[in-house]
Amino acid sequence: MKEQSGGDLLERLGSDLSAAILLCLDDPADLVRLASLSKSWRIFVISNGFCKRLCLRTNPEISCFVRAIEVGGLSTTAVKKVGSNCSGQWHTMESEHRIFAYFGYRSVSSRFFTETGVESISASNTNAMLPGYLGPNMFSSFWSNKRKSTLTFRLSCKLCVIHEIKIQLPQEFYCRASKCRFRLGHMRNENATPEELLAEDFIWTYVSPEFSMVEIGDFQSLKLQRPVVCIGGVLQFELLSRDPSDESSDMRTLIMASRVKAIVCPLAPAFEVSLLDRMGDSILMYFPGAIPYLEDFFVQEPSFSSRRKFWRKAKRRRKNW
Amino acid sequence: MASYERRKVTLKSSDGEEFLVEEAVAMESRMIRYMIWDGLAGDVIELPGVKGKFLSMIIDFCKKRVAWAAGGDGTLEGLKSDFVKVDLGTLIHLSAASFCLKTNDLVDLTSQTLANRIQGKTIDEICRALNPEE
């Protein structure tokens, strides 16, 4: 079957103009549906990598992924037809289309949101790393830096999308800290010794703007301008003190009373990140077999006969266009 | 730069229609602007890729925008929304014509309008949205 209308539109507008239209779309589901319209649309959407470009536009921090690998799924089970012209490069592009389509869907879909919380464990101003409190959810260890007022957490999942952070500080903090900001990143050396951890050799993939600290008696919500991908699982708060020389010894007590929650979308088990080198490059791995239901993501296509009937009618109408 | 504002130039469409416009209005098109700057434009500029009907709509928008920039009434958003209040077939032609003339903001505007017609639709609805009616 030759679906003429979709192909005609692509030919009529040309690749540059069609690309300008697709770059205005901000939902990967729209790109997946367009790729289902016809063979020419499918080739156009996949060969130009629109899903990957959309993800990079909405989450620039994922530019550290030097490669995306699909483990299992269609990439390894597809049967290559005899005499097929499909090259390895096309299979790679198809794979990237699937990977980033689901990545984009997963990172914005509210059905996957979950709230995490943890009690901050004690930490002194002595640069010591204290035993981690393995909370029921995400945060597992914590330490602080005496040179600046930072609270550093390690999330239990290395790859997630953070939508909102809520922080509650003890009252005494508010007279000290007027603003705060946070950073997301990972350790430069994944297998760091405790001494290396204290050196805080991080690679930051995201630095937030400054938020004003407001004492409201409850959790203060730090609304993010956009969802942020946390790669590596390290979240660090920096409290910007009103008095830069303030190094009070009772910081330990105050930090112990701090509370942090986060609204996140875990990307595991469908995605994992593998840190490649000390420069921050990493590989994104996609496990489609770990996703229980794909039907609700990939829109059900109408039947072949109903589509052919529709295009025949469209062809008759188009004669007088 | 008052000298070029008063000069007029003739734009000729693919189907032979001619439009006499001020040079300032014509130079809203990047393609025409570079032709004039490079001295490649004569009295009549031929535009084989654009039909008269759509060229007149684009010229009309450019005239209104030049008037608005000179302190006219209304808002640019109002002008833009009026420009895209057309049926799908005309919108596609306008998009192609804007691309041909290199009026980049019109390309962005028509592209965004076409994208809005695709967003959130099912496959059947996209088929209908991309298939212009008579």
Side-chain angles (χ1 to χ4, degrees), chain A residues 149 169 173-182 209-214 220 222 237-242:
Chain A
S149 299
L169 300 176
F173 255 136
Y174 291 100
C175 59
R176 289 205 178 97
S178 60
K179 293 190 177 182
C180 75
R181 64 180 166 208
F182 65 89
E210 292 180 359
F211 297 94
S212 297
M213 301 302 296
V214 178
Q220 177 184 352
L222 306 180
F237 278 104
E238 184 179 1
L239 300 169
L240 303 172
S241 177
R242 295 177 199 274

Side-chain angles (χ1 to χ4, degrees), chain B residues 99-111:
Chain B
F99 187 76
C100 180
L101 292 172
K102 303 281 187 290
T103 47
N104 292 345
D105 46 355
L106 286 182
V107 171
D108 293 339
L109 175 63
T110 50
S111 300

Side-chain angles (χ1 to χ4, degrees), chain B residues 4-79:
Chain B
Y4 80 81
E5 286 176 0
R6 288 195 293 270
R7 285 213 303 263
K8 289 187 186 284
V9 66
T10 302
L11 305 180
K12 188 173 178 183
S13 69
S14 61
D15 45 2
E17 276 191 68
E18 292 189 355
F19 302 88
L20 185 66
V21 296
E22 290 182 1
E23 207 169 68
V25 172
M27 285 172 69
E28 290 282 307
S29 154
R30 208 173 283 254
M31 187 190 82
I32 296 174
R33 189 191 311 171
Y34 293 153
M35 285 175 71
I36 293 174
W37 283 354
D38 292 343
L40 299 175
D43 293 331
V44 177
I45 299 177
E46 297 203 7
L47 304 168
V50 187
K51 285 188 179 174
K53 174 184 171 187
F54 309 111
L55 181 59
S56 71
M57 294 173 74
I58 293 176
I59 289 172
D60 191 49
F61 175 84
C62 294
K63 280 182 185 171
K64 288 178 182 171
R65 185 163 60 183
V66 168
W68 169 81
D73 295 331
T75 63
L76 191 58
E77 284 70 29
L79 288 178

Side-chain angles (χ1 to χ4, degrees), chain A residues 112-315:
Chain A
F112 301 112
F113 288 8
T114 180
E115 185 175 283
T116 72
V118 71
E119 291 180 345
S120 63
I121 58 174
S122 65
S124 70
N125 262 11
T126 60
N127 245 6
M129 183 184 153
L130 299 174
Y133 166 67
L134 291 174
N137 294 302
M138 311 295 268
F139 300 94
S140 67
S141 64
F142 166 88
W143 61 96
S144 87
N145 186 322
K146 73 168 179 181
R147 291 187 297 277
K148 47 184 179 177
S149 299
T150 58
L151 314 174
T152 310
F153 300 90
R154 179 186 285 155
L155 283 70
S156 61
C157 63
K158 285 165 62 175
L159 189 62
C160 62
V161 182
I162 297 180
H163 292 262
E164 188 179 346
I165 292 180
K166 298 178 183 177
I167 185 167
Q168 183 184 41
L169 300 176
Q171 191 179 3
E172 292 82 355
F173 255 136
Y174 291 100
C175 59
R176 289 205 178 97
S178 60
K179 293 190 177 182
C180 75
R181 64 180 166 208
F182 65 89
R183 297 182 174 85
L184 298 170
H186 56 87
M187 300 293 302
R188 191 179 297 274
N189 180 8
E190 266 195 309
N191 302 314
T193 60
E195 291 73 25
E196 287 175 333
L197 282 174
L198 288 175
E200 294 194 345
D201 190 11
F202 299 114
I203 294 178
W204 300 118
T205 55
Y206 174 78
V207 180
S208 79
E210 292 180 359
F211 297 94
S212 297
M213 301 302 296
V214 178
E215 184 184 357
I216 58 175
D218 199 350
F219 281 89
Q220 177 184 352
S221 173
L222 306 180
K223 291 265 193 266
L224 305 182
Q225 293 171 335
R226 59 169 177 86
V228 180
V229 178
C230 176
I231 302 168
V234 175
L235 165 67
Q236 183 182 80
F237 278 104
E238 184 179 1
L239 300 169
L240 303 172
S241 177
R242 295 177 199 274
D243 181 4
S245 62
D246 184 3
E247 290 184 358
S248 171
S249 60
D250 58 2
M251 283 284 280
R252 177 194 179 111
T253 313
L254 297 177
I255 290 171
M256 283 185 70
S258 303
R259 300 287 181 271
V260 176
K261 289 184 191 176
I263 309 288
V264 305
C265 170
L267 292 173
F271 292 100
E272 275 184 27
V273 64
S274 174
L275 299 175
L276 260 186
D277 56 26
R278 296 173 61 83
M279 301 308 297
D281 292 339
S282 50
I283 293 179
L284 177 68
M285 289 186 287
Y286 172 54
F287 301 90
I291 307 168
Y293 303 107
L294 277 180
E295 291 81 20
D296 55 356
F297 169 56
F298 293 108
V299 176
Q300 290 285 353
E301 296 189 34
S303 65
F304 177 83
S305 60
S306 67
R307 280 197 297 180
R308 185 171 59 182
K309 198 184 299 182
F310 177 81
W311 290 121
R312 280 183 179 159
K313 284 184 187 171
K315 187 179 174 184

Side-chain angles (χ1 to χ4, degrees), chain A residues 54-103:
Chain A
L54 172 60
C55 288
L56 281 168
R57 217 161 54 237
T58 52
N59 293 107
E61 53 269 13
I62 70 169
S63 56
C64 63
F65 294 147
V66 297
R67 203 172 156 201
I69 299 175
E70 185 178 9
V71 181
L74 295 176
S75 65
T76 51
T77 59
V79 177
K80 290 193 177 64
K81 296 178 184 174
V82 173
S84 167
N85 290 328
C86 293
S87 66
Q89 190 180 9
W90 171 252
H91 284 299
T92 303
M93 287 192 288
E94 269 190 316
S95 180
E96 280 195 349
H97 170 75
R98 286 191 293 271
I99 292 171
F100 287 103
Y102 190 66
F103 188 92

